[in-house]
Each structure stands twice: as structure tokens, then as C-alpha cells.
Amino acid sequence: MPDRILELDRNITLGLNALHTPLWDSIMVFLSSSTAWIPLYAAIAVLMFIPKWYGPHSLMRRQSHDIRSWAAGLTGVLAVLLCFGLTDQLTNVVKDAVQRLRPGHDPLLEGLLSLPDGAGGLYGFFSAHAANTFGLAVVSSLIFRRKWYSAVILLWAALVSFSRIYLARHFTTDVICGAVFGTAVAFIVYYIYKYVIHLLHRHRN
């Protein structure tokens, strides 16, 4: 990675981290918490089985008379799980291969950062939080096809990703690359989802 980008990354991290307050620290730690969002994940899974929830342009609504709701719902849940599994595991592969230190382990930033959520693991490129949240947000948006849902879930993914920079768990490029990767995986998984839905449609006919 070019030295200019590395320097910019460090400056952004220092600038955001310097703005920390106890209130914002607690908010950002909450946003970064994986367990805090379990109710959201459960709600998305449940909505996959409710045909009326899907937008009018979704595959589910267009082919609702030809596909059993439980089969379509299960396909959607499996698509989300596949997306999450790919983003999470491949992120770890990249981290071990690139071996870019997180801000909290960077010798040039030693003693300059507030770390309310700890320094995290040794390597941070790229962000699993960003990849996972954007993967979930994009693939579920493509499946549901509801504009307001897409706006809310993408905003959620952006806030979670931003919290990783604020907490100095990741550099900005870690988060951006993670978000791009998660989005790319989501589109690939969605096309797999479409293929399975079409197979279910053909089977019913």
C-alpha cells in the first residue's frame, strides 16, 4: 500500500479518535458489538418467511404463486448465511496473508490512541465487521427489494463500519475494502439465490 495512503489512514484515525467522549465511546462500542445485533439478524430471518413483506419487484412476490413460502424463506436464510460465511472466513484469509497491523498495534501510533474497545487482533486488513455487515445489508436488500428497508440497513452497515474507525480497531482503507468486498460477495450470492428460486419455480411447474 502506498506510503501516502498509509499516512492518510493514520491521520484520519488520529483525528477521529481525538474526538472521543465517554458517551460516544459507549455508542460506538455498542454499534461494534456483534451480539447486540442478534435480534436484528433473527428478525431478518423471520421476514424471509413472510411473502407479504417482500417488495413488489422481488422474486418472491413475482413468483409467490409458484413457490412455497417456506422454501423461498429457507432459500433466503441460506443465502444470508452463505454470504456471512464467505465474508467472515475469506476476511480472515486475507488478514493472515496481508498482515497489516491494526491501529492499536501500529508502532507509529503507540500511546497516541484511546482504545475503549481494546486493540483487537494483530492484523486488520480488511475489516470483517464491514464485510459482514455490508454483505448482509446488500444481499437482504436484493432479496426483499424494499427501498426504505435498503436505506435503513445500508445506513446501519455504514454506522457499524464507521464505529470500527472511531474505536481505532481499523484504518479507513480496512473498512472501505471490507465494505466493497462484502458488497461483491452479496451480489454473487444473490445470483446463486436467483438460480435456486428459478429451480424451485420450474419444479413447481
Side-chain angles (χ1 to χ4, degrees):
M1 195 172 291
D3 291 340
R4 189 178 303 174
I5 294 178
L6 294 175
E7 182 180 358
L8 179 60
D9 257 347
R10 291 189 178 98
N11 288 337
I12 292 174
T13 298
L14 286 170
L16 288 175
N17 192 256
L19 300 175
H20 77 93
T21 65
L23 174 60
W24 280 110
D25 286 354
S26 61
I27 292 173
M28 294 299 168
V29 169
F30 173 79
L31 285 170
S32 270
S33 171
S34 299
T35 56
W37 301 110
I38 290 176
L40 173 64
Y41 309 146
I44 292 173
V46 170
L47 290 172
M48 291 287 180
F49 294 91
I50 304 176
K52 291 183 178 180
W53 160 255
Y54 290 73
H57 300 295
S58 66
L59 285 176
M60 178 61 182
R61 286 289 287 275
R62 294 206 305 265
Q63 299 179 354
S64 60
H65 299 295
D66 301 319
I67 304 173
R68 296 183 187 278
S69 59
W70 70 263
L74 181 59
T75 303
V77 170
L78 291 175
V80 170
L81 290 175
L82 175 61
C83 186
F84 184 88
L86 289 173
T87 55
D88 194 60
Q89 294 305 309
L90 291 176
T91 296
N92 291 329
V93 172
V94 174
K95 284 180 181 178
D96 291 337
V98 176
Q99 297 187 353
R100 184 189 187 188
L101 296 175
R102 292 178 187 262
H105 296 290
D106 190 332
L108 296 179
L109 298 179
E110 186 176 356
L112 300 177
L113 297 171
S114 170
L115 302 169
D117 198 31
L122 190 59
Y123 304 127
F125 185 86
F126 41 78
S127 168
H129 272 70
N132 293 342
T133 55
F134 269 93
L136 170 64
V138 173
V139 76
S140 61
S141 294
L142 291 170
I143 291 172
F144 289 140
R145 298 285 179 172
R146 281 191 173 273
K147 290 182 179 180
W148 73 264
Y149 170 84
S150 297
V152 170
I153 200 71
L154 287 170
L155 176 61
W156 166 77
L159 289 173
V160 171
S161 299
F162 174 78
S163 73
R164 306 303 286 169
I165 305 172
Y166 174 94
L167 294 169
R169 292 292 292 264
H170 285 285
F171 289 110
T172 303
T173 50
D174 298 342
V175 168
I176 292 174
C177 291
V180 171
F181 178 76
T183 299
V185 171
F187 272 95
I188 293 171
V189 170
Y190 177 68
Y191 282 109
I192 297 173
Y193 166 85
K194 283 179 63 176
Y195 177 73
V196 174
I197 291 294
H198 287 313
L199 287 180
L200 292 172
H201 171 72
R202 288 171 57 186
H203 178 72
R204 288 282 291 174
N205 290 277

